[in-house]
Coordinates of all heavy atoms in Angstrom, one line a residue:
M125 N -9.5 3.7 -14.1 CA -8.9 4.6 -13.2 C -8.9 4.0 -11.8 O -9.8 3.4 -11.4 CB -9.6 6.0 -13.1 CG -9.7 6.7 -14.5 SD -8.2 7.3 -15.0 CE -8.1 8.9 -14.2
T126 N -7.8 4.2 -11.1 CA -7.7 3.7 -9.7 C -7.1 4.7 -8.8 O -6.3 5.5 -9.2 CB -6.8 2.4 -9.8 OG1 -6.7 1.8 -8.5 CG2 -5.4 2.7 -10.2
P127 N -7.5 4.7 -7.5 CA -7.0 5.7 -6.6 C -5.6 5.5 -6.1 O -5.1 4.4 -6.0 CB -7.9 5.5 -5.3 CG -9.1 4.7 -5.8 CD -8.6 3.9 -6.9
I128 N -4.9 6.6 -5.9 CA -3.5 6.6 -5.3 C -3.6 6.3 -3.8 O -4.5 6.9 -3.2 CB -2.8 7.9 -5.6 CG1 -2.5 8.1 -7.1 CG2 -1.5 8.1 -4.8 CD1 -2.0 9.5 -7.4
L129 N -2.7 5.5 -3.3 CA -2.7 5.3 -1.8 C -2.1 6.4 -1.1 O -1.2 7.1 -1.6 CB -2.0 4.0 -1.5 CG -2.6 2.7 -2.0 CD1 -1.8 1.5 -1.6 CD2 -4.1 2.6 -1.5
H130 N -2.5 6.7 0.1 CA -2.0 7.7 0.9 C -1.8 7.2 2.3 O -2.1 6.1 2.7 CB -3.0 8.9 0.9 CG -4.3 8.6 1.5 ND1 -4.7 8.6 2.8 CD2 -5.4 8.1 0.8 CE1 -5.9 8.2 3.0 NE2 -6.4 7.9 1.8
E131 N -1.1 8.0 3.1 CA -0.7 7.6 4.5 C -1.9 7.1 5.4 O -1.7 6.3 6.2 CB 0.0 8.8 5.2 CG 0.7 8.4 6.4 CD 1.6 9.5 6.9 OE1 1.1 10.7 7.0 OE2 2.8 9.2 7.2
G132 N -3.1 7.7 5.2 CA -4.2 7.3 6.0 C -5.1 6.2 5.4 O -6.1 5.9 6.0
A133 N -4.7 5.6 4.3 CA -5.5 4.5 3.7 C -5.6 3.3 4.6 O -4.7 3.0 5.3 CB -4.9 4.1 2.3
T134 N -6.8 2.6 4.5 CA -7.0 1.4 5.2 C -6.5 0.3 4.3 O -7.1 -0.1 3.3 CB -8.4 1.2 5.6 OG1 -8.9 2.3 6.3 CG2 -8.6 -0.1 6.3
V135 N -5.3 -0.3 4.8 CA -4.7 -1.4 4.0 C -4.6 -2.6 5.0 O -4.1 -2.4 6.1 CB -3.3 -1.0 3.5 CG1 -2.6 -2.2 2.8 CG2 -3.5 0.2 2.5
V136 N -5.0 -3.8 4.6 CA -5.0 -4.9 5.5 C -4.2 -6.1 4.9 O -4.0 -6.2 3.7 CB -6.4 -5.4 5.8 CG1 -7.2 -4.3 6.5 CG2 -7.1 -5.9 4.6
C137 N -3.7 -7.0 5.8 CA -3.1 -8.2 5.4 C -4.2 -9.2 5.3 O -5.3 -9.0 5.7 CB -2.0 -8.7 6.4 SG -2.6 -9.6 7.8
P138 N -4.0 -10.4 4.6 CA -5.1 -11.3 4.4 C -5.6 -12.1 5.7 O -6.5 -12.8 5.6 CB -4.5 -12.3 3.4 CG -3.1 -12.2 3.5 CD -2.8 -10.8 4.0
H139 N -4.9 -11.9 6.8 CA -5.2 -12.6 8.0 C -5.9 -11.7 9.0 O -5.2 -11.0 9.8 CB -4.0 -13.2 8.6 CG -3.1 -13.9 7.6 ND1 -1.9 -13.4 7.2 CD2 -3.3 -15.0 6.8 CE1 -1.4 -14.2 6.2 NE2 -2.2 -15.1 6.0
A140 N -7.2 -11.6 8.9 CA -7.9 -10.7 9.8 C -7.5 -10.8 11.2 O -7.2 -12.0 11.7 CB -9.4 -10.9 9.6
P141 N -7.5 -9.8 12.0 CA -7.8 -8.4 11.7 C -6.5 -7.6 11.4 O -6.4 -6.5 11.8 CB -8.5 -7.9 12.9 CG -7.7 -8.6 14.0 CD -7.4 -10.0 13.5
G142 N -5.6 -8.2 10.7 CA -4.3 -7.5 10.4 C -4.4 -6.2 9.7 O -4.9 -6.1 8.6
T143 N -4.1 -5.1 10.4 CA -4.2 -3.8 9.8 C -2.8 -3.2 9.6 O -1.8 -3.7 10.2 CB -4.9 -2.8 10.7 OG1 -4.3 -2.7 12.0 CG2 -6.4 -3.2 10.9
T144 N -2.6 -2.2 8.8 CA -1.3 -1.7 8.4 C -1.2 -0.2 8.6 O -2.2 0.5 8.7 CB -0.9 -2.0 7.0 OG1 -1.8 -1.3 6.1 CG2 -1.0 -3.5 6.7
Q145 N 0.0 0.3 8.7 CA 0.3 1.7 8.7 C 1.5 1.9 7.8 O 2.5 1.2 8.0 CB 0.6 2.1 10.1 CG 1.0 3.6 10.3 CD -0.2 4.5 10.0 OE1 -1.3 4.3 10.3 NE2 0.2 5.6 9.3
A146 N 1.5 2.9 7.0 CA 2.6 3.3 6.2 C 3.8 3.7 7.1 O 3.6 4.5 7.9 CB 2.3 4.4 5.2
V147 N 4.9 3.1 6.9 CA 6.1 3.4 7.7 C 6.6 4.8 7.4 O 7.0 5.6 8.2 CB 7.2 2.4 7.5 CG1 8.5 2.8 8.2 CG2 6.8 1.0 8.0
A148 N 6.6 5.2 6.1 CA 7.0 6.5 5.6 C 6.2 6.9 4.4 O 5.6 6.0 3.8 CB 8.5 6.5 5.3
S149 N 6.1 8.1 4.1 CA 5.4 8.6 3.0 C 6.1 9.8 2.4 O 7.0 10.3 3.0 CB 3.9 8.8 3.3 OG 3.9 9.6 4.5
S150 N 5.6 10.3 1.4 CA 6.2 11.5 0.8 C 6.0 12.7 1.7 O 4.9 13.0 2.2 CB 5.5 11.8 -0.6 OG 6.0 13.0 -1.1
T151 N 7.0 13.5 1.9 CA 6.9 14.7 2.6 C 6.6 15.9 1.7 O 6.2 16.9 2.3 CB 8.2 15.0 3.4 OG1 9.3 15.1 2.4 CG2 8.6 13.9 4.4
R152 N 6.6 15.7 0.4 CA 6.4 16.8 -0.5 C 5.0 16.8 -1.2 O 4.5 17.8 -1.6 CB 7.4 16.8 -1.6 CG 8.8 17.1 -1.1 CD 9.8 17.1 -2.2 NE 11.1 17.5 -1.7 CZ 12.1 17.8 -2.5 NH1 12.0 17.6 -3.8 NH2 13.2 18.1 -2.0
V153 N 4.4 15.6 -1.4 CA 3.2 15.4 -2.2 C 2.1 15.0 -1.3 O 2.2 13.9 -0.6 CB 3.4 14.5 -3.4 CG1 2.1 14.3 -4.1 CG2 4.5 15.0 -4.2
R154 N 1.0 15.7 -1.3 CA -0.2 15.3 -0.6 C -1.3 14.9 -1.5 O -1.5 15.5 -2.6 CB -0.6 16.4 0.4 CG 0.4 16.7 1.4 CD -0.2 17.4 2.6 NE 0.7 17.4 3.7 CZ 0.9 16.4 4.6 NH1 0.2 15.3 4.5 NH2 1.7 16.6 5.6
V155 N -2.1 13.9 -1.1 CA -3.3 13.5 -1.9 C -4.5 13.6 -0.9 O -4.5 13.0 0.1 CB -3.1 12.0 -2.3 CG1 -4.3 11.5 -3.0 CG2 -1.8 11.9 -3.1
D156 N -5.4 14.5 -1.3 CA -6.6 14.7 -0.5 C -6.2 15.1 1.0 O -6.8 14.6 1.9 CB -7.5 13.6 -0.6 CG -8.9 13.9 -0.1 OD1 -9.3 15.1 -0.1 OD2 -9.7 13.0 0.3
G157 N -5.1 15.8 1.1 CA -4.7 16.2 2.5 C -3.7 15.3 3.2 O -3.2 15.6 4.2
S158 N -3.5 14.1 2.7 CA -2.6 13.1 3.3 C -1.4 12.9 2.4 O -1.5 13.0 1.2 CB -3.3 11.8 3.6 OG -4.4 12.0 4.5
A159 N -0.3 12.5 3.0 CA 0.9 12.2 2.3 C 0.7 11.0 1.3 O 0.2 10.0 1.7 CB 2.1 11.9 3.2
A160 N 1.2 11.2 0.1 CA 1.2 10.1 -0.9 C 2.2 9.0 -0.6 O 3.2 9.3 0.1 CB 1.5 10.7 -2.3
V161 N 1.9 7.8 -1.0 CA 2.7 6.6 -0.7 C 3.2 6.0 -2.0 O 2.4 5.9 -3.0 CB 2.0 5.6 0.1 CG1 2.8 4.3 0.3 CG2 1.5 6.1 1.4
T162 N 4.5 5.7 -2.1 CA 5.1 5.1 -3.3 C 5.4 3.7 -3.0 O 5.2 3.2 -1.9 CB 6.4 5.8 -3.7 OG1 7.4 5.5 -2.8 CG2 6.2 7.3 -3.9
I163 N 5.8 2.9 -4.0 CA 6.1 1.5 -3.8 C 7.4 1.3 -3.0 O 7.6 0.2 -2.6 CB 6.2 0.8 -5.2 CG1 7.4 1.3 -6.0 CG2 4.9 0.9 -6.0 CD1 7.7 0.4 -7.2
T164 N 8.2 2.3 -2.7 CA 9.4 2.1 -1.9 C 9.0 2.2 -0.4 O 9.9 1.9 0.4 CB 10.4 3.2 -2.2 OG1 9.9 4.5 -2.0 CG2 10.9 3.1 -3.7
H165 N 7.8 2.6 -0.1 CA 7.5 2.8 1.3 C 6.9 1.4 1.9 O 6.1 0.8 1.2 CB 6.4 3.8 1.5 CG 6.9 5.2 1.1 ND1 6.3 5.9 0.1 CD2 7.9 5.9 1.6 CE1 6.9 7.1 0.0 NE2 7.9 7.1 0.9
A166 N 7.4 1.0 3.0 CA 6.9 -0.2 3.7 C 5.7 0.1 4.5 O 5.4 1.2 4.9 CB 8.0 -0.8 4.5
W167 N 5.0 -1.0 4.8 CA 3.8 -0.9 5.7 C 4.0 -1.9 6.9 O 4.3 -3.0 6.7 CB 2.5 -1.3 4.9 CG 2.2 -0.4 3.8 CD1 2.9 -0.3 2.6 CD2 1.2 0.6 3.7 NE1 2.3 0.6 1.8 CE2 1.3 1.2 2.4 CE3 0.2 0.9 4.6 CZ2 0.4 2.2 2.1 CZ3 -0.7 1.9 4.2 CH2 -0.6 2.5 2.9
T168 N 3.8 -1.4 8.1 CA 3.9 -2.3 9.3 C 2.6 -2.9 9.5 O 1.5 -2.2 9.3 CB 4.3 -1.5 10.5 OG1 3.4 -0.4 10.8 CG2 5.7 -1.0 10.5
V169 N 2.6 -4.2 9.8 CA 1.3 -4.9 10.0 C 1.2 -5.2 11.5 O 2.1 -5.7 12.1 CB 1.3 -6.2 9.2 CG1 0.1 -7.0 9.4 CG2 1.6 -6.0 7.7
T170 N 0.0 -5.0 12.0 CA -0.3 -5.3 13.4 C -1.6 -6.1 13.5 O -2.5 -5.9 12.6 CB -0.5 -4.1 14.3 OG1 -1.5 -3.2 13.8 CG2 0.8 -3.3 14.4
G171 N -1.7 -7.0 14.4 CA -3.0 -7.8 14.5 C -3.1 -8.9 13.6 O -4.2 -9.5 13.5
C172 N -2.1 -9.4 12.9 CA -2.2 -10.5 12.0 C -2.5 -11.8 12.8 O -1.9 -12.1 13.8 CB -0.9 -10.7 11.2 SG -0.9 -12.2 10.2
S173 N -3.5 -12.6 12.4 CA -3.9 -13.8 13.1 C -3.3 -15.0 12.6 O -3.5 -16.1 13.0 CB -5.4 -13.9 13.0 OG -5.8 -14.0 11.7
F174 N -2.4 -14.9 11.6 CA -1.7 -16.1 11.0 C -0.7 -16.7 12.0 O 0.1 -16.0 12.6 CB -1.0 -15.7 9.7 CG -0.6 -16.8 8.8 CD1 -1.5 -17.8 8.4 CD2 0.7 -16.9 8.4 CE1 -1.1 -18.8 7.6 CE2 1.1 -17.9 7.5 CZ 0.2 -18.9 7.1
T175 N -0.8 -18.0 12.2 CA 0.1 -18.6 13.2 C 0.9 -19.8 12.8 O 0.9 -20.8 13.5 CB -0.7 -19.0 14.5 OG1 -1.8 -19.9 14.1 CG2 -1.3 -17.8 15.2
P176 N 1.5 -19.8 11.7 CA 2.4 -20.9 11.3 C 3.7 -20.8 12.0 O 4.0 -19.8 12.7 CB 2.6 -20.7 9.8 CG 2.6 -19.2 9.6 CD 1.6 -18.7 10.7
T177 N 4.6 -21.7 11.8 CA 5.9 -21.7 12.4 C 6.8 -20.5 11.8 O 7.7 -20.1 12.5 CB 6.7 -23.0 12.1 OG1 6.7 -23.2 10.7 CG2 6.0 -24.2 12.8
A178 N 6.4 -20.1 10.6 CA 7.2 -19.0 10.0 C 6.8 -17.6 10.7 O 7.6 -16.7 10.5 CB 6.9 -18.9 8.5
G179 N 5.7 -17.5 11.4 CA 5.4 -16.3 12.1 C 4.3 -15.6 11.4 O 3.7 -16.0 10.4
R180 N 3.9 -14.4 12.0 CA 2.9 -13.6 11.5 C 3.4 -12.5 10.5 O 4.6 -12.2 10.5 CB 2.2 -12.9 12.7 CG 1.5 -13.9 13.6 CD 0.7 -13.2 14.6 NE -0.1 -14.2 15.3 CZ -0.3 -14.2 16.6 NH1 0.3 -13.3 17.4 NH2 -1.1 -15.1 17.1
C181 N 2.5 -11.9 9.8 CA 2.9 -10.8 8.9 C 3.3 -9.6 9.8 O 2.7 -9.3 10.8 CB 1.7 -10.3 8.1 SG 1.1 -11.5 6.9
S182 N 4.5 -9.1 9.5 CA 4.9 -7.9 10.3 C 5.2 -6.7 9.4 O 5.1 -5.6 9.8 CB 6.2 -8.3 11.1 OG 7.2 -8.7 10.2
V183 N 5.5 -7.0 8.1 CA 5.8 -5.9 7.2 C 5.2 -6.3 5.8 O 5.3 -7.5 5.5 CB 7.3 -5.6 7.0 CG1 7.6 -4.6 6.0 CG2 8.0 -5.2 8.4
G184 N 4.7 -5.3 5.1 CA 4.2 -5.6 3.8 C 4.7 -4.4 2.9 O 5.2 -3.4 3.3
S185 N 4.6 -4.7 1.6 CA 5.0 -3.6 0.6 C 4.3 -3.8 -0.7 O 3.8 -4.9 -1.0 CB 6.5 -3.7 0.4 OG 6.9 -4.9 -0.2
F186 N 4.2 -2.7 -1.4 CA 3.6 -2.8 -2.8 C 4.7 -2.9 -3.7 O 5.8 -2.2 -3.6 CB 2.7 -1.6 -3.0 CG 1.4 -1.6 -2.3 CD1 1.4 -1.1 -1.0 CD2 0.3 -2.2 -2.8 CE1 0.2 -1.2 -0.3 CE2 -0.8 -2.3 -2.1 CZ -0.9 -1.8 -0.8
T187 N 4.6 -3.8 -4.7 CA 5.7 -4.1 -5.6 C 5.6 -3.6 -7.0 O 6.5 -3.7 -7.8 CB 5.9 -5.7 -5.7 OG1 4.7 -6.2 -6.1 CG2 6.3 -6.3 -4.3
S188 N 4.4 -3.0 -7.3 CA 4.2 -2.4 -8.6 C 3.4 -1.1 -8.3 O 2.7 -1.0 -7.3 CB 3.5 -3.3 -9.6 OG 2.1 -3.5 -9.1
G189 N 3.6 -0.2 -9.2 CA 2.9 1.1 -9.1 C 2.4 1.7 -10.4 O 2.5 1.0 -11.4
A190 N 1.9 2.9 -10.3 CA 1.4 3.6 -11.5 C 2.6 3.7 -12.5 O 3.7 4.1 -12.1 CB 0.8 4.9 -11.2
S191 N 2.3 3.5 -13.8 CA 3.4 3.6 -14.8 C 3.8 5.0 -15.2 O 4.9 5.2 -15.6 CB 3.1 2.7 -16.0 OG 1.9 3.2 -16.6
R192 N 2.8 5.9 -15.0 CA 3.1 7.3 -15.5 C 3.1 8.3 -14.4 O 3.5 9.5 -14.7 CB 2.1 7.7 -16.5 CG 2.1 6.8 -17.7 CD 0.8 7.0 -18.5 NE 1.1 7.4 -19.8 CZ 0.1 7.8 -20.6 NH1 -1.1 7.9 -20.2 NH2 0.4 8.2 -21.8
V193 N 2.8 8.0 -13.2 CA 2.8 9.0 -12.1 C 3.8 8.6 -11.1 O 3.8 7.5 -10.5 CB 1.4 9.0 -11.4 CG1 1.3 10.0 -10.3 CG2 0.3 9.3 -12.5
R194 N 4.7 9.6 -10.8 CA 5.8 9.3 -9.8 C 5.8 10.4 -8.8 O 5.4 11.6 -9.1 CB 7.1 9.3 -10.5 CG 7.2 8.1 -11.5 CD 8.6 8.0 -12.2 NE 8.6 6.9 -13.0 CZ 9.1 5.7 -12.7 NH1 9.6 5.6 -11.5 NH2 9.1 4.7 -13.5
V195 N 6.2 10.1 -7.6 CA 6.4 11.0 -6.5 C 7.8 10.9 -6.1 O 8.3 9.7 -5.7 CB 5.4 10.8 -5.3 CG1 5.8 11.6 -4.1 CG2 4.0 11.0 -5.8
E196 N 8.6 11.9 -6.1 CA 10.0 11.9 -5.7 C 10.8 10.8 -6.5 O 11.6 10.1 -5.9 CB 10.2 11.7 -4.2 CG 9.6 12.9 -3.4 CD 9.6 12.7 -1.9 OE1 10.1 11.7 -1.4 OE2 9.1 13.6 -1.2
G197 N 10.4 10.7 -7.8 CA 11.1 9.7 -8.7 C 10.6 8.3 -8.6 O 11.1 7.4 -9.3
Q198 N 9.7 8.0 -7.7 CA 9.2 6.6 -7.5 C 7.7 6.5 -7.9 O 6.9 7.4 -7.7 CB 9.3 6.2 -6.1 CG 10.8 6.1 -5.6 CD 11.6 5.2 -6.3 OE1 11.2 4.1 -6.7 NE2 12.8 5.6 -6.7
P199 N 7.3 5.3 -8.5 CA 5.9 5.1 -8.9 C 5.0 5.1 -7.6 O 5.4 4.6 -6.6 CB 5.9 3.7 -9.5 CG 7.3 3.4 -9.8 CD 8.2 4.1 -8.8
V200 N 3.9 5.8 -7.7 CA 2.9 5.8 -6.6 C 2.2 4.4 -6.5 O 2.0 3.8 -7.5 CB 1.8 6.9 -6.8 CG1 2.5 8.3 -6.7 CG2 1.0 6.8 -8.0
A201 N 1.9 4.0 -5.3 CA 1.2 2.8 -5.0 C -0.3 3.1 -5.2 O -0.8 4.2 -4.9 CB 1.4 2.3 -3.6
T202 N -1.0 2.2 -5.8 CA -2.5 2.4 -6.0 C -3.2 1.2 -5.4 O -2.6 0.2 -5.0 CB -2.8 2.5 -7.5 OG1 -2.7 1.2 -8.1 CG2 -1.9 3.5 -8.2
T203 N -4.6 1.2 -5.5 CA -5.4 0.1 -5.0 C -5.2 -1.1 -5.8 O -5.5 -2.2 -5.4 CB -6.9 0.5 -4.9 OG1 -7.3 0.9 -6.2 CG2 -7.1 1.6 -3.9
Q204 N -4.7 -1.0 -7.1 CA -4.5 -2.1 -8.0 C -3.1 -2.6 -8.0 O -2.8 -3.6 -8.7 CB -4.9 -1.7 -9.4 CG -6.4 -1.3 -9.5 CD -7.3 -2.5 -9.2 OE1 -7.1 -3.6 -9.7 NE2 -8.3 -2.3 -8.4
S205 N -2.2 -2.0 -7.2 CA -0.8 -2.4 -7.2 C -0.6 -3.8 -6.6 O -1.3 -4.2 -5.7 CB 0.0 -1.4 -6.3 OG 0.1 -0.2 -6.9
D206 N 0.4 -4.6 -7.2 CA 0.7 -5.9 -6.6 C 1.4 -5.6 -5.3 O 2.1 -4.6 -5.1 CB 1.7 -6.6 -7.5 CG 1.0 -7.1 -8.8 OD1 -0.2 -7.4 -8.7 OD2 1.7 -7.2 -9.8
S207 N 1.3 -6.6 -4.4 CA 1.9 -6.4 -3.1 C 2.3 -7.7 -2.5 O 2.1 -8.8 -3.1 CB 0.9 -5.8 -2.1 OG -0.2 -6.6 -2.0
K208 N 3.0 -7.7 -1.3 CA 3.4 -8.9 -0.7 C 3.5 -8.6 0.8 O 3.7 -7.5 1.3 CB 4.8 -9.4 -1.2 CG 5.9 -8.4 -0.9 CD 7.2 -9.0 -1.5 CE 8.3 -8.0 -1.2 NZ 9.6 -8.4 -1.7
C209 N 3.4 -9.7 1.6 CA 3.6 -9.6 3.1 C 4.8 -10.4 3.4 O 5.4 -11.2 2.6 CB 2.4 -10.3 3.8 SG 0.9 -9.3 3.8
S210 N 5.3 -10.2 4.6 CA 6.6 -10.7 5.0 C 6.6 -12.2 5.2 O 7.7 -12.8 5.1 CB 7.1 -10.0 6.3 OG 6.1 -10.2 7.3
V211 N 5.5 -12.9 5.5 CA 5.5 -14.3 5.8 C 5.6 -15.2 4.6 O 6.5 -16.0 4.4 CB 4.3 -14.7 6.7 CG1 4.3 -16.2 6.9 CG2 4.3 -13.9 8.0
R212 N 4.7 -15.0 3.7 CA 4.6 -15.8 2.5 C 4.5 -14.9 1.3 O 3.7 -13.9 1.3 CB 3.4 -16.8 2.5 CG 3.5 -17.8 3.6 CD 2.4 -18.8 3.6 NE 1.1 -18.1 3.6 CZ -0.1 -18.8 3.6 NH1 -0.1 -20.1 3.6 NH2 -1.2 -18.1 3.6
A213 N 5.1 -15.2 0.2 CA 5.1 -14.4 -1.0 C 3.7 -14.4 -1.6 O 3.3 -13.5 -2.4 CB 6.1 -14.9 -2.0
T214 N 2.9 -15.4 -1.3 CA 1.5 -15.5 -1.9 C 0.5 -14.6 -1.1 O -0.6 -14.3 -1.6 CB 1.0 -16.9 -1.9 OG1 1.0 -17.4 -0.5 CG2 1.8 -17.8 -2.8
D215 N 0.9 -14.1 0.1 CA 0.0 -13.3 0.8 C 0.1 -11.8 0.3 O 1.2 -11.3 0.2 CB 0.3 -13.3 2.3 CG 0.0 -14.7 2.9 OD1 -0.8 -15.4 2.3 OD2 0.6 -15.0 4.0
K216 N -1.0 -11.2 0.1 CA -1.0 -9.8 -0.5 C -1.7 -8.9 0.5 O -2.6 -9.2 1.2 CB -1.8 -9.9 -1.8 CG -1.3 -10.9 -2.8 CD -0.1 -10.5 -3.5 CE 0.2 -11.5 -4.6 NZ 1.5 -11.4 -5.0
L217 N -1.2 -7.6 0.5 CA -1.9 -6.5 1.1 C -3.1 -6.1 0.3 O -3.0 -6.2 -0.9 CB -1.0 -5.3 1.3 CG 0.2 -5.5 2.2 CD1 1.0 -4.2 2.2 CD2 -0.2 -5.9 3.6
T218 N -4.2 -5.7 0.9 CA -5.3 -5.2 0.2 C -5.8 -3.8 0.7 O -5.9 -3.6 1.9 CB -6.5 -6.2 0.4 OG1 -6.1 -7.5 0.0 CG2 -7.7 -5.7 -0.4
A219 N -5.9 -2.9 -0.2 CA -6.4 -1.6 0.2 C -7.9 -1.6 0.2 O -8.6 -2.0 -0.7 CB -6.0 -0.5 -0.8
Q220 N -8.5 -1.3 1.4 CA -9.9 -1.3 1.5 C -10.6 0.0 1.5 O -11.7 0.2 0.9 CB -10.3 -2.0 2.9 CG -10.0 -3.5 2.9 CD -10.4 -4.1 4.2 OE1 -10.5 -3.5 5.2 NE2 -10.7 -5.4 4.1
V221 N -10.0 1.0 2.1 CA -10.5 2.4 2.0 C -9.4 3.3 1.7 O -8.3 3.3 2.4 CB -11.1 2.8 3.4 CG1 -11.7 4.2 3.3 CG2 -12.2 1.8 3.8
T222 N -9.6 4.2 0.7 CA -8.6 5.2 0.4 C -9.3 6.4 -0.2 O -10.5 6.4 -0.4 CB -7.6 4.6 -0.7 OG1 -6.5 5.5 -0.8 CG2 -8.2 4.3 -2.0
Q223 N -8.5 7.4 -0.4 CA -9.1 8.7 -1.0 C -9.6 8.4 -2.4 O -9.1 7.4 -3.1 CB -8.1 9.8 -1.0 CG -6.8 9.5 -1.7 CD -7.0 9.8 -3.2 OE1 -7.7 10.6 -3.7 NE2 -6.3 9.0 -4.0
T224 N -10.5 9.2 -2.9 CA -11.0 8.9 -4.3 C -10.9 10.2 -5.2 O -11.5 10.2 -6.3 CB -12.5 8.4 -4.3 OG1 -13.3 9.4 -3.6 CG2 -12.6 7.1 -3.6
R225 N -10.2 11.2 -4.7 CA -10.1 12.4 -5.5 C -9.0 12.4 -6.5 O -9.1 13.1 -7.5 CB -9.9 13.6 -4.5 CG -11.1 13.9 -3.6 CD -10.9 15.0 -2.7 NE -11.0 16.2 -3.5 CZ -10.8 17.4 -3.0 NH1 -10.5 17.6 -1.7 NH2 -10.9 18.5 -3.7
V226 N -7.9 11.7 -6.2 CA -6.8 11.6 -7.2 C -6.7 10.2 -7.7 O -6.4 9.2 -7.0 CB -5.5 12.0 -6.5 CG1 -4.4 12.0 -7.5 CG2 -5.6 13.4 -5.8
M227 N -7.0 10.1 -9.0 CA -7.0 8.8 -9.7 C -5.9 8.7 -10.8 O -5.5 9.8 -11.3 CB -8.4 8.5 -10.3 CG -9.5 8.8 -9.4 SD -9.7 7.5 -8.2 CE -10.9 6.5 -9.1
V228 N -5.4 7.5 -11.1 CA -4.5 7.3 -12.2 C -5.0 6.2 -13.1 O -5.7 5.3 -12.7 CB -3.1 7.0 -11.7 CG1 -2.5 8.2 -10.9 CG2 -3.0 5.8 -10.8
D229 N -4.5 6.2 -14.3 CA -4.8 5.1 -15.2 C -4.0 3.9 -14.8 O -2.9 4.0 -14.3 CB -4.3 5.5 -16.7 CG -5.3 6.4 -17.3 OD1 -6.5 6.4 -17.0 OD2 -4.8 7.2 -18.2
W230 N -4.6 2.7 -14.9 CA -3.9 1.5 -14.5 C -4.0 0.5 -15.7 O -5.1 0.3 -16.2 CB -4.6 0.9 -13.3 CG -3.9 -0.3 -12.8 CD1 -4.2 -1.6 -13.0 CD2 -2.7 -0.3 -12.1 NE1 -3.3 -2.4 -12.5 CE2 -2.3 -1.7 -11.9 CE3 -1.8 0.6 -11.6 CZ2 -1.2 -2.1 -11.2 CZ3 -0.7 0.3 -10.9 CH2 -0.4 -1.1 -10.7
P231 N -3.0 -0.2 -16.0 CA -1.6 0.0 -15.6 C -0.9 1.1 -16.3 O -0.6 1.5 -17.1 CB -1.0 -1.4 -15.9 CG -1.8 -1.9 -17.1 CD -3.2 -1.3 -16.9

């Protein structure tokens, strides 16, 4: 079982201290009092310390979600979901702190 991500979850890029904020979330479904996040929602990244010529992480997204749980027709993002950052496809977002009341089977 893995937790569903929500609007207030602590999600980071791999380049400390890059933190993220969900750009949008479900207006209809709440998880432990916060809006649920699906794989269609983007995450803005601030504070990324990566400094190549390609630039820093600015946006990230989750690319896979729960196979059986959907919000507004889209799979919910979980702590085990695959993800990517805007700079390199190999850079992944990581959920560090999230709610633990609503869990889903993975995958």
